[in-house]
PDB file of all heavy atoms in Angstrom:
ATOM      1  N   ASP D 210    -100.273  60.511  48.218  1.00 90.00           N
ATOM      2  CA  ASP D 210     -99.346  60.780  47.168  1.00 90.00           C
ATOM      3  C   ASP D 210     -98.283  59.773  47.225  1.00 90.00           C
ATOM      4  O   ASP D 210     -97.855  59.135  46.200  1.00 90.00           O
ATOM      5  CB  ASP D 210     -98.763  62.123  47.296  1.00 90.00           C
ATOM      6  CG  ASP D 210     -99.867  63.289  46.907  1.00 90.00           C
ATOM      7  OD1 ASP D 210    -100.803  62.970  46.294  1.00 90.00           O
ATOM      8  OD2 ASP D 210     -99.546  64.440  47.228  1.00 90.00           O
ATOM      9  N   TYR D 211     -97.705  59.487  48.439  1.00 90.00           N
ATOM     10  CA  TYR D 211     -96.610  58.533  48.497  1.00 90.00           C
ATOM     11  C   TYR D 211     -97.068  57.065  48.269  1.00 90.00           C
ATOM     12  O   TYR D 211     -96.340  56.213  47.735  1.00 90.00           O
ATOM     13  CB  TYR D 211     -95.857  58.712  49.846  1.00 90.00           C
ATOM     14  CG  TYR D 211     -94.973  59.887  49.923  1.00 90.00           C
ATOM     15  CD1 TYR D 211     -95.339  61.029  50.638  1.00 90.00           C
ATOM     16  CD2 TYR D 211     -93.732  59.815  49.438  1.00 90.00           C
ATOM     17  CE1 TYR D 211     -94.377  62.121  50.642  1.00 90.00           C
ATOM     18  CE2 TYR D 211     -92.897  60.808  49.386  1.00 90.00           C
ATOM     19  CZ  TYR D 211     -93.245  61.996  50.038  1.00 90.00           C
ATOM     20  OH  TYR D 211     -92.361  63.008  50.089  1.00 90.00           O
ATOM     21  N   LYS D 212     -98.318  56.771  48.644  1.00 90.00           N
ATOM     22  CA  LYS D 212     -98.848  55.489  48.483  1.00 90.00           C
ATOM     23  C   LYS D 212     -99.016  55.220  46.997  1.00 90.00           C
ATOM     24  O   LYS D 212     -98.804  54.115  46.386  1.00 90.00           O
ATOM     25  CB  LYS D 212    -100.230  55.342  49.133  1.00 90.00           C
ATOM     26  CG  LYS D 212    -100.027  55.103  50.658  1.00 90.00           C
ATOM     27  CD  LYS D 212    -101.424  54.862  51.326  1.00 90.00           C
ATOM     28  CE  LYS D 212    -101.193  54.742  52.843  1.00 90.00           C
ATOM     29  NZ  LYS D 212    -102.430  54.546  53.544  1.00 90.00           N
ATOM     30  N   GLU D 213     -99.376  56.335  46.207  1.00 90.00           N
ATOM     31  CA  GLU D 213     -99.604  56.161  44.716  1.00 90.00           C
ATOM     32  C   GLU D 213     -98.219  55.955  44.099  1.00 90.00           C
ATOM     33  O   GLU D 213     -98.025  55.186  43.123  1.00 90.00           O
ATOM     34  CB  GLU D 213    -100.220  57.409  44.113  1.00 90.00           C
ATOM     35  CG  GLU D 213    -101.699  57.587  44.499  1.00 90.00           C
ATOM     36  CD  GLU D 213    -102.288  58.809  43.901  1.00 90.00           C
ATOM     37  OE1 GLU D 213    -101.486  59.643  43.348  1.00 90.00           O
ATOM     38  OE2 GLU D 213    -103.552  59.048  44.042  1.00 90.00           O
ATOM     39  N   GLN D 214     -97.199  56.601  44.660  1.00 90.00           N
ATOM     40  CA  GLN D 214     -95.803  56.417  44.139  1.00 90.00           C
ATOM     41  C   GLN D 214     -95.380  54.972  44.423  1.00 90.00           C
ATOM     42  O   GLN D 214     -94.732  54.229  43.573  1.00 90.00           O
ATOM     43  CB  GLN D 214     -94.894  57.399  44.759  1.00 90.00           C
ATOM     44  CG  GLN D 214     -95.168  58.805  44.388  1.00 90.00           C
ATOM     45  CD  GLN D 214     -94.162  59.860  45.012  1.00 90.00           C
ATOM     46  OE1 GLN D 214     -92.998  59.398  45.457  1.00 90.00           O
ATOM     47  NE2 GLN D 214     -94.519  61.135  45.066  1.00 90.00           N
ATOM     48  N   LEU D 215     -95.590  54.542  45.579  1.00 91.00           N
ATOM     49  CA  LEU D 215     -95.193  53.196  46.035  1.00 91.00           C
ATOM     50  C   LEU D 215     -96.090  52.155  45.211  1.00 91.00           C
ATOM     51  O   LEU D 215     -95.440  51.120  44.789  1.00 91.00           O
ATOM     52  CB  LEU D 215     -95.491  52.930  47.468  1.00 91.00           C
ATOM     53  CG  LEU D 215     -94.407  53.531  48.448  1.00 91.00           C
ATOM     54  CD1 LEU D 215     -94.779  53.289  49.802  1.00 91.00           C
ATOM     55  CD2 LEU D 215     -93.060  52.996  48.114  1.00 91.00           C
ATOM     56  N   ASN D 216     -97.248  52.518  44.961  1.00 91.00           N
ATOM     57  CA  ASN D 216     -98.108  51.524  44.139  1.00 91.00           C
ATOM     58  C   ASN D 216     -97.599  51.445  42.739  1.00 91.00           C
ATOM     59  O   ASN D 216     -97.632  50.358  42.155  1.00 91.00           O
ATOM     60  CB  ASN D 216     -99.505  52.065  44.144  1.00 91.00           C
ATOM     61  CG  ASN D 216    -100.464  50.999  43.548  1.00 91.00           C
ATOM     62  OD1 ASN D 216    -100.475  49.869  43.998  1.00 91.00           O
ATOM     63  ND2 ASN D 216    -101.411  51.416  42.678  1.00 91.00           N
ATOM     64  N   ALA D 217     -97.047  52.559  42.195  1.00 91.00           N
ATOM     65  CA  ALA D 217     -96.432  52.457  40.835  1.00 91.00           C
ATOM     66  C   ALA D 217     -95.278  51.560  40.873  1.00 91.00           C
ATOM     67  O   ALA D 217     -94.941  50.945  39.806  1.00 91.00           O
ATOM     68  CB  ALA D 217     -96.114  53.799  40.396  1.00 91.00           C
ATOM     69  N   VAL D 218     -94.496  51.476  41.948  1.00 92.00           N
ATOM     70  CA  VAL D 218     -93.423  50.732  42.078  1.00 92.00           C
ATOM     71  C   VAL D 218     -93.801  49.181  42.434  1.00 92.00           C
ATOM     72  O   VAL D 218     -93.213  48.228  41.966  1.00 92.00           O
ATOM     73  CB  VAL D 218     -92.408  51.126  43.005  1.00 92.00           C
ATOM     74  CG1 VAL D 218     -91.220  50.228  43.269  1.00 92.00           C
ATOM     75  CG2 VAL D 218     -91.867  52.576  42.794  1.00 92.00           C
ATOM     76  N   LEU D 219     -94.880  49.156  43.109  1.00 92.00           N
ATOM     77  CA  LEU D 219     -95.372  47.819  43.711  1.00 92.00           C
ATOM     78  C   LEU D 219     -95.889  47.028  42.572  1.00 92.00           C
ATOM     79  O   LEU D 219     -95.592  45.702  42.505  1.00 92.00           O
ATOM     80  CB  LEU D 219     -96.427  48.098  44.738  1.00 92.00           C
ATOM     81  CG  LEU D 219     -97.094  46.830  45.260  1.00 92.00           C
ATOM     82  CD1 LEU D 219     -96.000  45.923  46.090  1.00 92.00           C
ATOM     83  CD2 LEU D 219     -98.163  47.173  46.173  1.00 92.00           C
ATOM     84  N   LYS D 220     -96.632  47.558  41.558  1.00 91.00           N
ATOM     85  CA  LYS D 220     -97.275  46.819  40.518  1.00 91.00           C
ATOM     86  C   LYS D 220     -96.251  45.970  39.743  1.00 91.00           C
ATOM     87  O   LYS D 220     -96.387  44.831  39.544  1.00 91.00           O
ATOM     88  CB  LYS D 220     -98.134  47.674  39.623  1.00 91.00           C
ATOM     89  CG  LYS D 220     -99.433  48.075  40.260  1.00 91.00           C
ATOM     90  CD  LYS D 220    -100.316  48.885  39.286  1.00 91.00           C
ATOM     91  CE  LYS D 220    -101.631  49.204  39.912  1.00 91.00           C
ATOM     92  NZ  LYS D 220    -102.589  49.929  38.975  1.00 91.00           N
TER      93      LYS D 220
END
Side-chain angles (χ1 to χ4, degrees):
D210 289 346
Y211 280 103
K212 286 180 180 180
E213 290 178 353
Q214 295 178 20
L215 285 177
N216 192 47
V218 177
L219 180 62
K220 285 186 177 180

